[in-house]
Short mmCIF file of all heavy atoms in Angstrom, two decimals:
data_model
loop_
_atom_site.label_atom_id
_atom_site.label_comp_id
_atom_site.label_asym_id
_atom_site.label_seq_id
_atom_site.Cartn_x
_atom_site.Cartn_y
_atom_site.Cartn_z
N MET V 1 125.51 0.30 49.62
CA MET V 1 124.51 -0.71 49.34
C MET V 1 125.00 -1.66 48.26
O MET V 1 125.42 -1.23 47.22
CB MET V 1 123.21 -0.03 48.91
CG MET V 1 122.05 -0.97 48.81
SD MET V 1 120.47 -0.09 48.65
CE MET V 1 120.08 0.21 50.36
N ARG V 2 124.94 -2.94 48.58
CA ARG V 2 125.47 -3.93 47.61
C ARG V 2 124.41 -4.24 46.53
O ARG V 2 123.23 -4.21 46.78
CB ARG V 2 125.83 -5.23 48.34
CG ARG V 2 127.10 -5.11 49.17
CD ARG V 2 127.60 -6.44 49.65
NE ARG V 2 126.56 -7.29 50.18
CZ ARG V 2 126.26 -8.51 49.72
NH1 ARG V 2 126.91 -8.99 48.69
NH2 ARG V 2 125.30 -9.22 50.26
N VAL V 3 124.92 -4.54 45.36
CA VAL V 3 124.08 -4.92 44.21
C VAL V 3 124.28 -6.41 43.96
O VAL V 3 125.39 -6.90 43.93
CB VAL V 3 124.47 -4.12 42.97
CG1 VAL V 3 123.63 -4.52 41.79
CG2 VAL V 3 124.36 -2.61 43.23
N ILE V 4 123.16 -7.09 43.83
CA ILE V 4 123.21 -8.55 43.67
C ILE V 4 122.51 -8.95 42.38
O ILE V 4 121.41 -8.48 42.09
CB ILE V 4 122.51 -9.25 44.83
CG1 ILE V 4 123.25 -8.92 46.15
CG2 ILE V 4 122.45 -10.76 44.64
CD1 ILE V 4 122.48 -9.29 47.38
N VAL V 5 123.17 -9.80 41.59
CA VAL V 5 122.57 -10.35 40.37
C VAL V 5 122.11 -11.79 40.68
O VAL V 5 122.93 -12.61 41.12
CB VAL V 5 123.55 -10.34 39.19
CG1 VAL V 5 122.91 -11.01 37.97
CG2 VAL V 5 123.99 -8.92 38.87
N ASP V 6 120.85 -12.04 40.47
CA ASP V 6 120.30 -13.37 40.65
C ASP V 6 120.58 -14.17 39.37
O ASP V 6 119.92 -13.96 38.35
CB ASP V 6 118.81 -13.29 40.95
CG ASP V 6 118.17 -14.65 41.15
OD1 ASP V 6 118.80 -15.67 40.87
OD2 ASP V 6 116.99 -14.67 41.61
N SER V 7 121.53 -15.06 39.41
CA SER V 7 121.95 -15.79 38.20
C SER V 7 120.85 -16.72 37.68
O SER V 7 120.84 -17.11 36.51
CB SER V 7 123.23 -16.59 38.43
OG SER V 7 123.04 -17.51 39.49
N ALA V 8 119.87 -17.05 38.55
CA ALA V 8 118.76 -17.89 38.10
C ALA V 8 117.79 -17.13 37.22
O ALA V 8 117.09 -17.71 36.39
CB ALA V 8 118.06 -18.51 39.31
N ARG V 9 117.73 -15.83 37.42
CA ARG V 9 116.83 -14.98 36.62
C ARG V 9 117.52 -14.31 35.45
O ARG V 9 116.88 -13.97 34.47
CB ARG V 9 116.19 -13.90 37.52
CG ARG V 9 115.37 -14.50 38.63
CD ARG V 9 114.66 -13.42 39.42
NE ARG V 9 113.55 -12.89 38.68
CZ ARG V 9 112.57 -12.16 39.22
NH1 ARG V 9 112.61 -11.89 40.50
NH2 ARG V 9 111.58 -11.71 38.47
N CYS V 10 118.80 -14.07 35.58
CA CYS V 10 119.57 -13.42 34.54
C CYS V 10 119.57 -14.29 33.25
O CYS V 10 119.77 -15.52 33.32
CB CYS V 10 121.02 -13.21 35.01
SG CYS V 10 122.13 -12.51 33.78
N VAL V 11 119.30 -13.67 32.11
CA VAL V 11 119.32 -14.38 30.85
C VAL V 11 120.53 -13.99 30.03
O VAL V 11 120.74 -14.54 28.93
CB VAL V 11 118.02 -14.17 30.06
CG1 VAL V 11 116.84 -14.72 30.84
CG2 VAL V 11 117.81 -12.71 29.70
N GLY V 12 121.29 -13.04 30.50
CA GLY V 12 122.60 -12.76 29.89
C GLY V 12 122.65 -11.87 28.69
O GLY V 12 123.58 -11.95 27.87
N HIS V 13 121.73 -10.95 28.56
CA HIS V 13 121.81 -10.07 27.40
C HIS V 13 122.67 -8.85 27.67
O HIS V 13 122.87 -8.00 26.82
CB HIS V 13 120.44 -9.64 26.86
CG HIS V 13 119.42 -9.40 27.93
ND1 HIS V 13 119.59 -8.55 28.97
CD2 HIS V 13 118.20 -9.98 28.09
CE1 HIS V 13 118.50 -8.57 29.73
NE2 HIS V 13 117.67 -9.40 29.22
N ALA V 14 123.18 -8.71 28.89
CA ALA V 14 124.26 -7.78 29.24
C ALA V 14 123.89 -6.29 29.16
O ALA V 14 124.76 -5.46 29.00
CB ALA V 14 125.52 -8.08 28.39
N ARG V 15 122.65 -5.94 29.31
CA ARG V 15 122.29 -4.51 29.39
C ARG V 15 122.99 -3.84 30.55
O ARG V 15 123.38 -2.70 30.46
CB ARG V 15 120.78 -4.37 29.57
CG ARG V 15 119.97 -4.55 28.34
CD ARG V 15 118.57 -4.15 28.66
NE ARG V 15 117.68 -4.40 27.57
CZ ARG V 15 116.50 -3.84 27.41
NH1 ARG V 15 116.09 -2.98 28.32
NH2 ARG V 15 115.73 -4.11 26.41
N CYS V 16 123.04 -4.56 31.65
CA CYS V 16 123.65 -3.95 32.85
C CYS V 16 125.13 -3.64 32.62
O CYS V 16 125.60 -2.58 33.07
CB CYS V 16 123.49 -4.90 34.04
SG CYS V 16 124.08 -6.57 33.74
N LEU V 17 125.83 -4.50 31.92
CA LEU V 17 127.24 -4.22 31.64
C LEU V 17 127.40 -3.04 30.70
O LEU V 17 128.33 -2.26 30.82
CB LEU V 17 127.91 -5.48 31.02
CG LEU V 17 128.37 -6.54 32.01
CD1 LEU V 17 127.24 -7.43 32.37
CD2 LEU V 17 129.51 -7.33 31.40
N ALA V 18 126.49 -2.91 29.78
CA ALA V 18 126.55 -1.79 28.82
C ALA V 18 126.34 -0.47 29.55
O ALA V 18 126.97 0.52 29.23
CB ALA V 18 125.53 -1.97 27.70
N LEU V 19 125.44 -0.50 30.54
CA LEU V 19 125.12 0.75 31.26
C LEU V 19 126.13 1.08 32.34
O LEU V 19 126.48 2.25 32.53
CB LEU V 19 123.72 0.64 31.88
CG LEU V 19 122.56 0.81 30.91
CD1 LEU V 19 121.26 0.32 31.54
CD2 LEU V 19 122.43 2.29 30.53
N ALA V 20 126.61 0.09 33.03
CA ALA V 20 127.54 0.34 34.13
C ALA V 20 128.62 -0.74 34.17
O ALA V 20 128.61 -1.63 35.06
CB ALA V 20 126.74 0.36 35.46
N PRO V 21 129.56 -0.69 33.27
CA PRO V 21 130.59 -1.71 33.16
C PRO V 21 131.54 -1.77 34.35
O PRO V 21 132.21 -2.78 34.56
CB PRO V 21 131.34 -1.35 31.86
CG PRO V 21 131.05 0.06 31.66
CD PRO V 21 129.68 0.33 32.18
N ASP V 22 131.59 -0.70 35.13
CA ASP V 22 132.44 -0.74 36.34
C ASP V 22 131.74 -1.33 37.54
O ASP V 22 132.35 -1.57 38.58
CB ASP V 22 132.93 0.67 36.67
CG ASP V 22 133.91 1.20 35.64
OD1 ASP V 22 134.59 0.37 35.00
OD2 ASP V 22 133.97 2.42 35.46
N LEU V 23 130.43 -1.55 37.39
CA LEU V 23 129.65 -2.14 38.47
C LEU V 23 129.36 -3.60 38.25
O LEU V 23 129.30 -4.39 39.18
CB LEU V 23 128.34 -1.35 38.63
CG LEU V 23 127.36 -1.76 39.71
CD1 LEU V 23 127.98 -1.76 41.08
CD2 LEU V 23 126.14 -0.83 39.69
N PHE V 24 129.23 -3.98 36.96
CA PHE V 24 128.93 -5.36 36.60
C PHE V 24 130.06 -5.91 35.72
O PHE V 24 130.75 -5.21 35.04
CB PHE V 24 127.61 -5.43 35.84
CG PHE V 24 126.44 -4.93 36.62
CD1 PHE V 24 126.00 -3.61 36.45
CD2 PHE V 24 125.78 -5.76 37.53
CE1 PHE V 24 124.93 -3.16 37.17
CE2 PHE V 24 124.71 -5.29 38.25
CZ PHE V 24 124.29 -3.97 38.09
N GLU V 25 130.15 -7.25 35.75
CA GLU V 25 131.14 -7.92 34.88
C GLU V 25 130.51 -9.23 34.41
O GLU V 25 129.50 -9.68 34.93
CB GLU V 25 132.44 -8.16 35.61
CG GLU V 25 132.33 -9.09 36.81
CD GLU V 25 133.62 -9.22 37.57
OE1 GLU V 25 134.60 -8.53 37.25
OE2 GLU V 25 133.65 -10.02 38.54
N TRP V 26 131.16 -9.81 33.43
CA TRP V 26 130.67 -11.07 32.85
C TRP V 26 131.32 -12.25 33.55
O TRP V 26 132.53 -12.28 33.75
CB TRP V 26 130.99 -11.11 31.37
CG TRP V 26 130.21 -12.14 30.65
CD1 TRP V 26 130.69 -13.31 30.11
CD2 TRP V 26 128.80 -12.14 30.44
NE1 TRP V 26 129.66 -14.03 29.55
CE2 TRP V 26 128.50 -13.36 29.76
CE3 TRP V 26 127.79 -11.27 30.76
CZ2 TRP V 26 127.18 -13.67 29.39
CZ3 TRP V 26 126.48 -11.58 30.37
CH2 TRP V 26 126.22 -12.78 29.68
N ASP V 27 130.50 -13.21 33.94
CA ASP V 27 131.00 -14.46 34.55
C ASP V 27 131.08 -15.51 33.45
O ASP V 27 130.07 -16.02 32.96
CB ASP V 27 130.03 -14.89 35.67
CG ASP V 27 130.56 -16.11 36.41
OD1 ASP V 27 131.32 -16.91 35.84
OD2 ASP V 27 130.20 -16.25 37.59
N GLU V 28 132.29 -15.84 33.04
CA GLU V 28 132.50 -16.81 31.95
C GLU V 28 131.99 -18.19 32.29
O GLU V 28 131.61 -18.96 31.41
CB GLU V 28 133.99 -16.86 31.59
CG GLU V 28 134.60 -15.54 31.11
CD GLU V 28 134.15 -15.15 29.72
OE1 GLU V 28 133.58 -15.97 29.01
OE2 GLU V 28 134.36 -13.99 29.34
N GLU V 29 132.03 -18.54 33.56
CA GLU V 29 131.64 -19.88 33.97
C GLU V 29 130.12 -20.08 33.87
O GLU V 29 129.67 -21.14 33.44
CB GLU V 29 132.10 -20.18 35.38
CG GLU V 29 133.60 -20.36 35.48
CD GLU V 29 134.05 -20.78 36.87
OE1 GLU V 29 133.19 -21.21 37.67
OE2 GLU V 29 135.25 -20.71 37.14
N THR V 30 129.38 -19.09 34.30
CA THR V 30 127.93 -19.21 34.29
C THR V 30 127.31 -18.60 33.04
O THR V 30 126.13 -18.83 32.76
CB THR V 30 127.28 -18.51 35.51
OG1 THR V 30 127.57 -17.12 35.45
CG2 THR V 30 127.84 -19.10 36.81
N ASP V 31 128.10 -17.81 32.31
CA ASP V 31 127.58 -17.11 31.12
C ASP V 31 126.48 -16.14 31.50
O ASP V 31 125.50 -15.99 30.76
CB ASP V 31 127.11 -18.13 30.07
CG ASP V 31 127.67 -17.81 28.70
OD1 ASP V 31 128.65 -17.06 28.62
OD2 ASP V 31 127.12 -18.32 27.72
N ARG V 32 126.67 -15.49 32.63
CA ARG V 32 125.69 -14.54 33.15
C ARG V 32 126.47 -13.34 33.72
O ARG V 32 127.69 -13.44 33.96
CB ARG V 32 124.88 -15.16 34.28
CG ARG V 32 124.00 -16.33 33.82
CD ARG V 32 122.86 -15.85 32.94
NE ARG V 32 121.97 -16.91 32.56
CZ ARG V 32 122.03 -17.56 31.41
NH1 ARG V 32 122.98 -17.30 30.54
NH2 ARG V 32 121.12 -18.48 31.08
N ALA V 33 125.72 -12.26 33.98
CA ALA V 33 126.34 -11.09 34.58
C ALA V 33 126.51 -11.33 36.07
O ALA V 33 125.81 -12.16 36.68
CB ALA V 33 125.44 -9.87 34.36
N ARG V 34 127.44 -10.61 36.66
CA ARG V 34 127.59 -10.61 38.12
C ARG V 34 128.11 -9.24 38.54
O ARG V 34 128.63 -8.45 37.72
CB ARG V 34 128.55 -11.70 38.58
CG ARG V 34 129.98 -11.45 38.18
CD ARG V 34 130.90 -12.59 38.62
NE ARG V 34 132.26 -12.39 38.11
CZ ARG V 34 133.13 -13.35 37.99
NH1 ARG V 34 132.86 -14.59 38.32
NH2 ARG V 34 134.35 -13.06 37.50
N THR V 35 127.96 -8.97 39.81
CA THR V 35 128.45 -7.69 40.34
C THR V 35 129.95 -7.80 40.55
O THR V 35 130.49 -8.83 40.97
CB THR V 35 127.80 -7.42 41.69
OG1 THR V 35 126.39 -7.55 41.57
CG2 THR V 35 128.11 -5.98 42.13
N ARG V 36 130.65 -6.73 40.21
CA ARG V 36 132.10 -6.73 40.44
C ARG V 36 132.36 -6.80 41.94
O ARG V 36 131.68 -6.19 42.72
CB ARG V 36 132.75 -5.47 39.87
CG ARG V 36 132.83 -5.47 38.38
CD ARG V 36 133.69 -4.32 37.89
NE ARG V 36 133.69 -4.31 36.44
CZ ARG V 36 134.49 -5.06 35.69
NH1 ARG V 36 135.38 -5.87 36.26
NH2 ARG V 36 134.43 -4.97 34.37
N GLU V 37 133.39 -7.55 42.29
CA GLU V 37 133.76 -7.73 43.70
C GLU V 37 133.92 -6.40 44.39
O GLU V 37 134.67 -5.56 43.91
CB GLU V 37 135.07 -8.56 43.76
CG GLU V 37 135.50 -8.88 45.17
CD GLU V 37 134.63 -9.99 45.80
OE1 GLU V 37 134.11 -10.82 45.04
OE2 GLU V 37 134.54 -9.98 47.03
N GLY V 38 133.22 -6.23 45.49
CA GLY V 38 133.38 -5.02 46.30
C GLY V 38 132.66 -3.81 45.78
O GLY V 38 132.73 -2.75 46.41
N ALA V 39 132.00 -3.90 44.65
CA ALA V 39 131.30 -2.75 44.07
C ALA V 39 130.11 -2.35 44.94
O ALA V 39 129.39 -3.19 45.44
CB ALA V 39 130.83 -3.06 42.63
N ASP V 40 129.98 -1.06 45.16
CA ASP V 40 128.92 -0.51 45.98
C ASP V 40 128.12 0.47 45.16
O ASP V 40 128.70 1.32 44.47
CB ASP V 40 129.52 0.18 47.21
CG ASP V 40 128.48 0.55 48.24
OD1 ASP V 40 127.56 1.30 47.91
OD2 ASP V 40 128.62 0.08 49.39
N LEU V 41 126.80 0.39 45.24
CA LEU V 41 125.94 1.23 44.43
C LEU V 41 126.23 2.72 44.70
O LEU V 41 126.13 3.55 43.80
CB LEU V 41 124.48 0.93 44.71
CG LEU V 41 123.47 1.74 43.87
CD1 LEU V 41 123.65 1.49 42.40
CD2 LEU V 41 122.06 1.44 44.33
N ALA V 42 126.62 3.05 45.91
CA ALA V 42 126.87 4.45 46.25
C ALA V 42 127.94 5.06 45.37
O ALA V 42 127.98 6.27 45.14
CB ALA V 42 127.25 4.55 47.73
N ASP V 43 128.84 4.23 44.87
CA ASP V 43 129.93 4.71 44.03
C ASP V 43 129.48 4.99 42.60
O ASP V 43 130.26 5.57 41.79
CB ASP V 43 131.11 3.73 44.03
CG ASP V 43 131.69 3.54 45.42
OD1 ASP V 43 131.60 4.48 46.21
OD2 ASP V 43 132.18 2.45 45.69
N PHE V 44 128.27 4.54 42.24
CA PHE V 44 127.85 4.60 40.84
C PHE V 44 126.60 5.47 40.64
O PHE V 44 126.29 5.84 39.50
CB PHE V 44 127.63 3.21 40.29
CG PHE V 44 128.88 2.41 40.30
CD1 PHE V 44 129.21 1.62 41.38
CD2 PHE V 44 129.79 2.47 39.25
CE1 PHE V 44 130.39 0.89 41.41
CE2 PHE V 44 130.98 1.76 39.28
CZ PHE V 44 131.28 0.96 40.34
N GLY V 45 125.90 5.77 41.73
CA GLY V 45 124.79 6.68 41.69
C GLY V 45 123.74 6.35 40.63
O GLY V 45 123.31 5.22 40.51
N ASP V 46 123.34 7.36 39.85
CA ASP V 46 122.27 7.22 38.88
C ASP V 46 122.58 6.15 37.82
O ASP V 46 121.68 5.50 37.33
CB ASP V 46 121.99 8.56 38.22
CG ASP V 46 121.35 9.55 39.17
OD1 ASP V 46 120.89 9.12 40.25
OD2 ASP V 46 121.33 10.74 38.83
N LEU V 47 123.84 6.02 37.48
CA LEU V 47 124.24 5.06 36.47
C LEU V 47 123.90 3.64 36.95
O LEU V 47 123.34 2.84 36.21
CB LEU V 47 125.70 5.18 36.15
CG LEU V 47 126.23 4.51 34.88
CD1 LEU V 47 125.50 5.07 33.66
CD2 LEU V 47 127.73 4.73 34.76
N GLY V 48 124.26 3.36 38.19
CA GLY V 48 123.97 2.04 38.75
C GLY V 48 122.48 1.80 38.86
O GLY V 48 122.00 0.70 38.55
N GLN V 49 121.78 2.81 39.29
CA GLN V 49 120.31 2.67 39.42
C GLN V 49 119.67 2.47 38.05
O GLN V 49 118.72 1.66 37.91
CB GLN V 49 119.72 3.90 40.11
CG GLN V 49 118.29 3.71 40.51
CD GLN V 49 118.07 2.56 41.50
OE1 GLN V 49 118.68 2.54 42.54
NE2 GLN V 49 117.18 1.64 41.14
N SER V 50 120.17 3.12 37.03
CA SER V 50 119.66 2.93 35.69
C SER V 50 119.85 1.49 35.22
O SER V 50 119.00 0.93 34.56
CB SER V 50 120.34 3.87 34.70
OG SER V 50 120.04 5.22 34.99
N ALA V 51 120.98 0.94 35.54
CA ALA V 51 121.27 -0.46 35.16
C ALA V 51 120.31 -1.39 35.89
O ALA V 51 119.79 -2.35 35.29
CB ALA V 51 122.71 -0.82 35.47
N ILE V 52 120.06 -1.13 37.15
CA ILE V 52 119.11 -1.97 37.92
C ILE V 52 117.72 -1.86 37.33
O ILE V 52 117.05 -2.87 37.08
CB ILE V 52 119.15 -1.52 39.40
CG1 ILE V 52 120.50 -1.85 40.00
CG2 ILE V 52 118.02 -2.22 40.16
CD1 ILE V 52 120.73 -1.21 41.35
N ASP V 53 117.30 -0.61 37.11
CA ASP V 53 115.96 -0.39 36.55
C ASP V 53 115.83 -0.93 35.14
O ASP V 53 114.74 -1.28 34.70
CB ASP V 53 115.63 1.11 36.54
CG ASP V 53 115.54 1.70 37.95
OD1 ASP V 53 115.41 0.92 38.90
OD2 ASP V 53 115.68 2.93 38.07
N GLY V 54 116.94 -1.00 34.42
CA GLY V 54 116.90 -1.39 33.03
C GLY V 54 117.00 -2.90 32.81
O GLY V 54 116.92 -3.38 31.67
N CYS V 55 117.11 -3.69 33.87
CA CYS V 55 117.16 -5.14 33.71
C CYS V 55 115.76 -5.64 33.46
O CYS V 55 114.92 -5.61 34.36
CB CYS V 55 117.76 -5.79 34.93
SG CYS V 55 117.69 -7.61 34.83
N PRO V 56 115.44 -6.13 32.25
CA PRO V 56 114.10 -6.53 31.94
C PRO V 56 113.67 -7.80 32.67
O PRO V 56 112.48 -8.10 32.73
CB PRO V 56 114.14 -6.77 30.43
CG PRO V 56 115.58 -6.82 30.03
CD PRO V 56 116.38 -6.22 31.12
N GLU V 57 114.61 -8.51 33.24
CA GLU V 57 114.28 -9.75 33.94
C GLU V 57 114.07 -9.50 35.45
O GLU V 57 113.75 -10.46 36.19
CB GLU V 57 115.39 -10.81 33.74
CG GLU V 57 115.83 -10.97 32.29
CD GLU V 57 114.68 -11.27 31.37
OE1 GLU V 57 113.74 -12.00 31.76
OE2 GLU V 57 114.70 -10.77 30.22
N GLY V 58 114.33 -8.33 35.91
CA GLY V 58 114.24 -8.07 37.35
C GLY V 58 115.25 -8.88 38.12
O GLY V 58 114.98 -9.31 39.26
N ALA V 59 116.41 -9.10 37.53
CA ALA V 59 117.40 -9.99 38.14
C ALA V 59 118.35 -9.30 39.11
O ALA V 59 119.15 -9.97 39.78
CB ALA V 59 118.21 -10.69 37.04
N ILE V 60 118.25 -7.98 39.16
CA ILE V 60 119.19 -7.22 40.01
C ILE V 60 118.45 -6.68 41.22
O ILE V 60 117.38 -6.08 41.10
CB ILE V 60 119.84 -6.07 39.22
CG1 ILE V 60 120.47 -6.60 37.92
CG2 ILE V 60 120.88 -5.39 40.06
CD1 ILE V 60 120.94 -5.51 37.00
N SER V 61 119.04 -6.88 42.38
CA SER V 61 118.43 -6.36 43.62
C SER V 61 119.47 -5.71 44.48
O SER V 61 120.69 -5.81 44.22
CB SER V 61 117.71 -7.48 44.37
OG SER V 61 118.63 -8.48 44.71
N LEU V 62 119.03 -5.09 45.56
CA LEU V 62 119.95 -4.39 46.47
C LEU V 62 119.93 -5.07 47.81
O LEU V 62 118.89 -5.54 48.24
CB LEU V 62 119.53 -2.93 46.58
CG LEU V 62 119.52 -2.13 45.29
CD1 LEU V 62 118.90 -0.76 45.53
CD2 LEU V 62 120.92 -2.02 44.71
N ALA V 63 121.02 -5.01 48.53
CA ALA V 63 121.05 -5.56 49.88
C ALA V 63 121.88 -4.67 50.78
O ALA V 63 122.72 -3.92 50.31
CB ALA V 63 121.69 -6.93 49.85
S1 SF4 M 101 120.45 -6.84 32.33
FE1 SF4 M 101 119.64 -8.31 33.85
S2 SF4 M 101 119.20 -10.17 32.72
FE2 SF4 M 101 120.53 -8.88 31.39
S3 SF4 M 101 122.63 -9.58 31.86
FE3 SF4 M 101 122.21 -7.87 33.27
S4 SF4 M 101 121.38 -8.86 35.13
FE4 SF4 M 101 121.29 -10.35 33.48
#
């Protein structure tokens, strides 16, 4: 299952990167978080879900 960061909702406080740095990365151009290329939630389990649940802006979704 793919993880998607909505850059329009993301405010960039990087909680998701702190929780799951192998799933998310920083986009220097937009100054927002983004999902690492090819990252799949199945590879990160509870850690990935915690990062999704921990986004206060609701900017992370699954597809
Ligand atoms: S926790 Fe949410 S709002 Fe904060 S950087 Fe990550 S995706 Fe953006």
Side-chain angles (χ1 to χ4, degrees):
M1 189 168 273
R2 288 192 313 121
V3 179
I4 298 167
V5 176
D6 181 347
S7 60
R9 298 185 75 164
C10 176
V11 298
H13 37 55
R15 281 189 186 199
C16 53
L17 278 82
L19 283 165
D22 292 332
L23 181 56
F24 300 96
E25 64 185 4
W26 195 249
D27 185 333
E28 299 287 347
E29 289 186 14
T30 63
D31 229 16
R32 297 289 183 264
R34 68 183 175 201
T35 310
R36 287 190 183 276
E37 183 75 27
D40 190 301
L41 182 61
D43 298 332
F44 297 91
D46 290 345
L47 196 59
Q49 190 61 55
S50 293
I52 293 167
D53 294 342
C55 175
E57 312 306 323
I60 307 172
S61 60
L62 302 172

